[in-house]
Amino acid sequence: MFDHIADAVKLPDLVRIGDNLVVARFETMKVYSALAAVEHLLNTGAVQPGDTLMDSSSGTYAYSLALACHKYGMKCHIVCSTKADPSVVTQLELLGATVEQVPIPPGPMVDKMDLEVRLKRINEILAARRDVYWMQQYHNGFHYHGYREVAALIDREMPGAPLTVVGGVGSGASTGGLATYLRELRPDVELVGIQPYESVTFGSEPVEDPVASISGIGSPVYFANVTYELYDRIHWIAHDQAVAATLALYRDHGIFGGMSSGCCYLAAEWEARQNPDRQFLFIGADTGHRYMSSVYTKHDQAVSLTGLEPRGIRELTELELPWAVMDWNRRPYEVAPKVLPC
């Protein structure tokens, strides 16, 4: 029995879809991160009950923070873009959040400009109000904390053979938190990160994806929560192949996920074939509802995955579409911030 819906929503379903392949399918994975972050702030006295927690998000973190604020009696202020799904905005408002949609100026580099205008609005709010705490999901390390619970669940449910976790890098908190806490329990854990092209996080920004970059798993700016030394391998996957993999995940296994889930499936299925003596778990971070019009209703237009294999590379200068893989070997990587922290 749960005391609040957030505690039920956060739980993943672990589903075996191959001999050595399991998906951790979440309704909204970032609820773990948001709940633990709010608990941490309250326990340390950084905020008080009834204060306003604010962040910049147009998707799952906004929903997760609104749920966490609802549970703990906090006010919630979300700064998002006019691209935000209207249904998500409605959900946020019904949960009691204040939602500001900031228009994106016309021009190239839309994602970067989106982050910059949202950052400008956040700074205006912080300058005018003292009762607002800025969560900074991309930079505050306490967003790792919630994944200790997920790591314990995975360790309990997947004993035996060595384990590899495959997940979208994104802000760094989910895969970083999982790997950190899993390795405390079992040092054999490997971490494989998924990136789109055009992301600065692992150096693919010079390679343009002619359709679109995949939001949520990459970034046009620096994120402090990405700990590069945690990752063993990185896969870069193009938009069209991600769409096809998302549809394949649903057709073949009935897993209704977003595009990051499709990317993780494509990479994890390949990884599992290369390494039959290891267990592989990939992250299905959210459901496919946000992608009905952009992915699922266009299923007849999807490219074929038949014969598709990643191109193995040794240097970032060798990156090219549509799919590349590189041994990262837990090394550091320097990324110059393109804008102030967002």
Side-chain angles (χ1 to χ4, degrees), residues 62-289:
Y63 171 67
S64 300
L65 182 60
L67 272 182
C69 288
H70 190 277
K71 175 179 177 178
Y72 288 108
M74 311 295 289
K75 298 183 181 69
C76 182
H77 192 113
I78 299 296
V79 178
C80 64
S81 79
T82 49
K83 296 192 301 179
D85 187 326
S87 65
V88 174
V89 173
T90 300
Q91 284 181 278
L92 296 176
E93 292 174 338
L94 287 171
L95 285 170
T98 301
V99 181
E100 283 195 50
Q101 293 185 268
V102 183
I104 308 168
M109 302 182 70
V110 172
D111 288 341
K112 180 172 181 289
M113 294 172 69
D114 179 16
L115 290 171
E116 288 178 338
V117 295
R118 282 192 268 156
L119 174 66
K120 179 180 178 182
R121 179 56 189 149
I122 283 172
N123 284 325
E124 291 171 351
I125 294 168
L126 292 172
R129 297 176 57 181
R130 297 188 178 276
D131 64 330
V132 175
Y133 186 93
W134 183 15
M135 296 297 290
Q136 295 194 77
Q137 64 151 322
Y138 304 123
H139 305 292
N140 275 334
F142 52 66
H143 286 95
Y144 271 50
H145 296 346
Y147 298 108
R148 182 183 294 275
E149 184 179 344
V150 190
L153 171 65
I154 292 169
D155 180 57
R156 183 172 66 249
E157 295 292 327
M158 299 185 68
L163 176 65
T164 298
V165 174
V166 180
V169 177
S171 70
S174 59
T175 47
L178 272 178
T180 297
Y181 297 126
L182 274 168
R183 285 171 182 164
E184 291 178 0
L185 300 170
R186 48 200 294 182
D188 61 35
V189 171
E190 288 187 343
L191 179 60
V192 175
I194 309 300
Q195 282 278 277
Y197 292 90
E198 303 184 43
S199 172
V200 305
T201 309
F202 278 90
S204 66
E205 68 269 29
V207 184
E208 182 179 352
D209 191 325
V211 182
S213 62
I214 305 161
S215 62
I217 62 171
S219 174
V221 297
Y222 164 79
F223 288 167
N225 268 342
V226 177
T227 304
Y228 295 91
E229 295 87 343
L230 293 173
Y231 295 87
D232 294 283
R233 269 182 310 288
I234 300 295
H235 287 252
W236 293 265
I237 297 173
H239 180 275
D240 283 350
Q241 285 65 35
V243 168
T246 304
L247 294 168
L249 178 60
Y250 188 52
R251 284 196 187 102
D252 296 346
H253 304 289
I255 305 296
F256 183 55
M259 284 181 63
S260 69
S261 301
C263 288
C264 293
Y265 171 57
L266 183 64
E269 197 274 336
W270 180 84
E271 290 271 350
R273 284 190 279 114
Q274 312 310 306
N275 301 276
D277 295 330
R278 293 188 70 88
Q279 299 183 90
F280 288 82
L281 176 134
F282 72 92
I283 304 301
D286 59 3
T287 64
H289 294 92

Side-chain angles (χ1 to χ4, degrees), residues 9 14 45 61 65 121 136 149-150 178 220 299 308 323 328:
V9 166
L14 300 185
Y61 184 78
L65 182 60
R121 179 56 189 149
Q136 295 194 77
E149 184 179 344
V150 190
L178 272 178
H299 59 88
L308 180 65
W323 183 9
W328 193 259

